[in-house]
Amino acid sequence: MRAFAVAVALSVVLAAAPTFAQAPAPAAAPAPQAAPAEAPFPTGAKYAFVNIQRVAAESGQGKALSSRVQALNNQKLTQLNEKNKALQTSQQKLDSGASVLSDVARGQLEKDIDRQQTEIQRFTDDAQKEVQDLQTELQSEFQQKLGPVIQQVAQERKLEILFSALDAGIIWADAGLDLTSEVIRRFDIAAPVAATAAPAAPRAATPAPAPAAPRPAVPAPAAPRPAAPAPPPKQ
């Protein structure tokens, strides 16, 4: 029985999985396109390809996982819009009452606006990360569920290799097609590496000579003594 290997990664991006951002004005939904007609599988084919993006966009699992990301994205957009409305209200209050507000009231309102702007920026960053983390988690779940199905279809079709339609990368292959070990063996025979002599053992370092003993200090010459005074002359 032939051995089969499933590619480590399927390099799939969930269809319709949005990156969190403020929602633009709604556009008209495009008309649904009819699925392409399925051509008969060629007799005797040993390789094929799969469009993973179509699998994510059209399969029930792909749609279900994408809807979870879309739901979280919409929830965060709703919360962000509410915060933006509150900020706009505060800004309009400041602009319309600039001439009647006291200095204290104006200063407090300006502080509130700065605080709201900071909170909106922090909320946007956190929401962006939360949506991306969920998308990454569901993408991994999608790959784990799809891998065994790809292997089963390839085995039933008696394929030897299966490519990705997006980048021509291998997403499934018969393990017997891996010639890496054979190439390494023949490469070593064709281009042997010259044996290198074992490095000589390092010589022991010559100890540094001991420092010479200090010579005794020569005593400084005695200072000259003053001459004795001459005796007075006799009378």
Side-chain angles (χ1 to χ4, degrees):
M1 181 177 180
R2 296 191 303 173
F4 292 88
V6 179
V8 175
L10 297 179
S11 303
V12 58
V13 177
L14 289 176
T19 299
F20 179 78
Q22 189 156 359
Q33 298 180 354
E38 184 176 352
F41 190 77
T43 303
K46 295 298 183 182
Y47 54 87
F49 67 86
V50 172
N51 190 327
I52 301 296
Q53 203 166 50
R54 269 195 59 203
V55 176
E58 299 177 17
S59 66
Q61 282 289 340
K63 292 177 180 178
L65 297 179
S66 295
S67 65
R68 290 173 59 185
V69 179
Q70 185 67 56
L72 177 61
N73 190 78
N74 292 342
Q75 174 189 345
K76 297 300 180 181
L77 283 176
T78 300
Q79 296 173 353
L80 178 61
N81 288 336
E82 292 174 355
K83 293 180 179 295
N84 280 327
K85 288 180 181 179
L87 175 62
Q88 291 174 0
T89 300
S90 298
Q91 187 65 53
Q92 290 173 356
K93 182 177 180 181
L94 178 63
D95 295 340
S96 61
S99 58
V100 297
L101 291 173
S102 65
D103 292 342
V104 175
R106 187 184 307 107
Q108 183 60 47
L109 189 54
E110 290 175 347
K111 289 182 180 179
D112 289 342
I113 291 175
D114 290 341
R115 175 185 55 79
Q116 288 174 307
Q117 290 175 337
T118 301
E119 289 180 354
I120 288 175
Q121 182 61 53
R122 185 180 298 114
F123 176 85
T124 302
D125 294 341
D126 291 344
Q128 174 84 26
K129 184 178 184 304
E130 189 173 347
V131 171
Q132 290 178 345
D133 287 348
L134 178 61
Q135 183 171 342
T136 301
E137 175 187 344
L138 298 184
Q139 178 175 315
S140 177
E141 180 180 339
F142 178 80
Q143 293 174 357
Q144 291 175 359
K145 292 180 177 179
L146 181 60
V149 177
I150 287 179
Q151 180 176 357
Q152 180 181 4
V153 172
Q155 289 174 336
E156 291 176 354
R157 298 288 186 176
K158 300 185 181 339
L159 299 178
E160 294 177 345
I161 196 166
L162 188 62
F163 295 98
S164 167
L166 301 179
D167 56 8
I170 297 175
I171 58 176
W172 179 92
D174 182 340
L177 295 176
D178 186 357
L179 300 179
T180 307
S181 298
E182 178 68 9
V183 169
I184 293 173
R185 185 181 67 82
R186 295 197 184 189
F187 187 39
D188 287 343
I189 294 174
V193 179
T196 56
R203 298 177 59 183
T206 304
R215 295 181 178 181
V218 179
R225 298 178 65 184
K234 293 182 180 181
Q235 297 294 331

